[in-house]
Amino acid sequence: MRIIVAGGDGFCGWPTALYLSKQGHDVTIVDNMVRRKWDDELRSNSLTPILPLEERVKLWEEKTGKKIAIYDCDLMHYDFLKEIFKQVQPEAFVHFAEQRSAPYSMIDREHAVFTQTNNVVGNLNVLYAIKEVTPDCHLIKLGTMGEYGQPNIDIEEGYIKIEHKGREDVLPFPKQPGSFYHLSKVHDSHNIQFACKIWGIRATDLNQGIVYGLHTEEDEYDEGLINRLDYDGVFGTALNRFIIQAAIGHDITVYGSGKQTRAFLNIKDTIRCVEIAAENPADKGEFRVFNQFTEEFSVLELAQKVQKVAEAKGLNIGIEHIENPRIEKEEHYYKAVNTSLIDLGLEPSLLTDDHISRTLDTALKYKDRVLKENVLPNVTWK
Ligand SMILES: O=c1ccn([C@@H]2O[C@H](COP(=O)(O)OP(=O)(O)O[C@H]3O[C@H](CS(=O)(=O)O)[C@@H](O)[C@H](O)[C@H]3O)[C@@H](O)[C@H]2O)c(=O)[nH]1
């Protein structure tokens, strides 16, 4: 299959591009390298040293004989994007190319405006490119479990049957996102649903939970293929961030009580879910929503798991409940459905101490690269 992976230089996009390439797909990466520029802006870095994209792709070809084409393109540049669609004629477009950090979107007005403009307009341009050039192309869009928020009822996969005043309908599940970033994904979902309805586009919205882990089979060919790993207070996410904190002897930063519960999955399952979506495209005009996660944990549970694995390696790490910089529910009900991808063949790679241990070993290897001043959160929602 001819597949474009937009955002193929990022944490989810890079291992997805390698995996799909290994599976025999004809992969093209579209990326404007902006994730690396945000590191510069925030004076931060990836814990793991990552090669420039051209070199990563060259190394992949040397190791496997498989070519990945790359275009340095911003999805905001419609003429360029449309030209790429004409040249590649994609059968699937995997869209990871968005600003994905909630704290980044909450820094100030400029960052909120940037996040929503970049994400919403970029996605709209993709929808138009599909309509105008390859109307049969399947859009596989990274949404987020955070679109739903934490309602006091079970979260369904995209839609819910509602009875109201004696009538019933199946309607989009209510959205209660918790940051301007998460809101941008809600706006995207609405735009995609509308485009499917009016133009007959086929789309799958993958409402992904928090991704943890680092390694996939593909990075075993060479250390130069290693994925990026974020730890700072803006782009680092729960679990991976806690593991890196343990590696540098920093207390694990639980925000507030830590009873906040979220949906999680291993990066290996991210890439497999995208493959499953690509192999089972949505129908023409269908706006399909899959909840892409495998397990639910509270933040405190994860901190305790990391503490335990670190202890077994002789690292005595504390857990610090710091004042929550976000405005979010800490005590809440959380139960979400995730059967669609499993029904289509996903075999979840569940969180084990071994998983934590492997990432911790890598974090220990590169711990001298950590910029300690970036570890505590410095963006608040207030
Ligand atoms: O050091 C930390 C970091 C986070 N948290 C807490 O952990 C939870 C998750 O925060 P996060 O930074 O790990 O994840 P989040 O901001 O929700 O965003 C991440 O996870 C989302 C999936 S979800 O959480 O919305 O399901 C994706 O959409 C985003 O792209 C990705 O950056 C929050 O309650 C936060 O308060 C801590 O307690 N300590």
Side-chain angles (χ1 to χ4, degrees):
M1 208 183 274
R2 289 182 305 279
I3 304 181
I4 289 181
V5 179
D9 189 45
F11 174 67
C12 289
W14 173 242
T16 301
L18 295 189
Y19 177 69
L20 294 175
S21 170
K22 197 178 93 183
Q23 299 298 93
H25 296 293
D26 183 356
V27 175
T28 298
I29 288 177
V30 174
D31 199 298
N32 65 346
M33 311 305 144
V34 73
R35 181 65 194 85
R36 295 171 189 250
K37 291 173 196 151
W38 294 328
D39 274 346
D40 295 343
E41 177 197 344
L42 300 168
R43 295 198 175 79
S44 193
N45 59 348
S46 160
L47 173 89
T48 45
I50 51 171
L51 292 172
L53 182 59
E54 300 76 20
E55 289 179 35
R56 289 173 133 182
V57 162
K58 205 164 138 239
L59 186 58
W60 176 248
E61 192 179 338
E62 277 166 28
K63 295 288 165 188
T64 63
K66 294 187 185 297
K67 271 191 201 309
I68 296 179
I70 51 179
Y71 289 89
D72 184 344
C73 169
D74 187 334
L75 301 187
M76 299 290 279
H77 296 163
Y78 185 63
D79 292 347
F80 189 6
L81 179 66
K82 191 172 171 185
E83 192 51 40
I84 295 171
F85 267 79
K86 283 185 188 161
Q87 287 184 20
V88 177
Q89 295 288 320
E91 291 155 280
F93 186 97
V94 182
H95 184 6
F96 289 110
E98 297 204 330
Q99 192 302 93
R100 66 98 180 141
S101 157
Y104 188 89
S105 76
M106 301 301 289
I107 292 174
D108 56 15
R109 187 195 66 84
E110 279 81 5
H111 288 82
V113 169
F114 169 79
T115 299
Q116 293 212 353
T117 312
N118 180 71
N119 293 2
V120 176
V121 178
N123 183 60
L124 206 46
N125 282 342
V126 171
L127 290 168
Y128 266 94
I130 292 175
K131 171 189 185 265
E132 291 179 357
V133 187
T134 52
D136 225 28
C137 173
H138 177 205
L139 173 61
I140 300 171
K141 166 69 168 52
L142 255 288
T144 171
M145 286 301 291
E147 292 186 34
Y148 304 117
Q150 292 80 40
N152 202 27
I153 56 171
D154 288 14
I155 296 171
E156 303 298 326
E157 299 200 66
Y159 299 91
I160 183 169
K161 191 164 153 190
I162 292 181
E163 282 177 28
H164 182 62
K165 295 187 178 170
R167 300 183 64 78
E168 64 175 47
D169 202 351
V170 175
L171 296 167
F173 196 92
K175 307 288 170 72
Q176 303 183 79
S179 72
F180 287 125
Y181 150 71
H182 287 99
L183 273 151
S184 74
K185 294 275 189 183
V186 173
H187 305 329
D188 285 342
S189 295
H190 287 143
N191 284 342
I192 300 168
Q193 184 174 25
F194 183 66
C196 289
K197 188 166 75 181
I198 59 170
W199 300 328
I201 283 177
R202 48 177 95 235
T204 303
D205 208 357
L206 296 175
N207 280 348
Q208 185 167 249
I210 301 172
V211 186
Y212 63 83
L214 169 70
H215 298 288
T216 57
E217 281 176 23
E218 291 64 52
D219 71 26
E220 282 168 16
Y221 288 97
D222 194 285
E223 188 75 3
L225 296 170
I226 199 163
N227 199 0
R228 64 171 302 124
L229 189 56
D230 294 304
Y231 64 88
D232 62 53
V234 177
F235 278 94
T237 52
L239 191 51
N240 273 1
R241 190 165 137 73
F242 297 165
I243 293 171
I244 296 158
Q245 290 170 344
I248 61 165
H250 194 289
D251 282 351
I252 295 175
T253 56
V254 167
Y255 298 166
S257 70
K259 290 187 183 161
Q260 307 92 299
T261 300
R262 294 289 183 276
F264 289 81
L265 76 164
N266 191 300
I267 185 79
K268 288 183 184 168
D269 286 339
T270 294
I271 62 184
R272 175 72 183 120
C273 288
V274 170
E275 180 186 37
I276 289 172
E279 284 173 347
N280 301 276
D283 291 336
K284 268 192 105 46
E286 184 187 10
F287 174 62
R288 189 172 62 170
V289 183
F290 292 161
N291 290 347
Q292 181 165 311
F293 71 94
T294 57
E295 288 173 283
E296 294 166 3
F297 299 104
S298 76
V299 169
L300 184 58
E301 270 177 278
L302 294 178
Q304 287 163 342
K305 280 180 190 288
V306 173
Q307 187 181 45
K308 192 182 102 194
V309 174
E311 202 178 316
K313 290 185 193 289
L315 304 165
N316 287 313
I317 306 300
I319 294 177
E320 193 188 353
H321 291 263
I322 61 176
E323 189 188 341
N324 196 335
R326 306 182 182 201
I327 294 175
E328 61 182 0
K329 285 183 198 163
E330 288 182 13
E331 311 254 344
H332 59 89
Y333 177 78
Y334 197 79
K335 191 156 176 270
V337 174
N338 64 343
T339 44
S340 296
L341 284 158
I342 290 168
D343 289 348
L344 288 171
L346 174 67
E347 289 168 22
S349 164
L350 300 180
L351 180 62
T352 60
D353 288 354
D354 280 352
H355 275 126
I356 295 176
S357 176
R358 174 121 198 261
T359 310
L360 181 53
D361 287 342
T362 305
L364 286 165
K365 178 171 173 191
Y366 292 113
K367 72 180 170 49
D368 292 342
R369 287 174 50 86
V370 171
L371 304 168
K372 296 208 171 67
E373 61 276 21
N374 292 338
V375 173
L376 287 173
N378 57 9
V379 179
T380 77
W381 267 223
K382 284 154 195 136

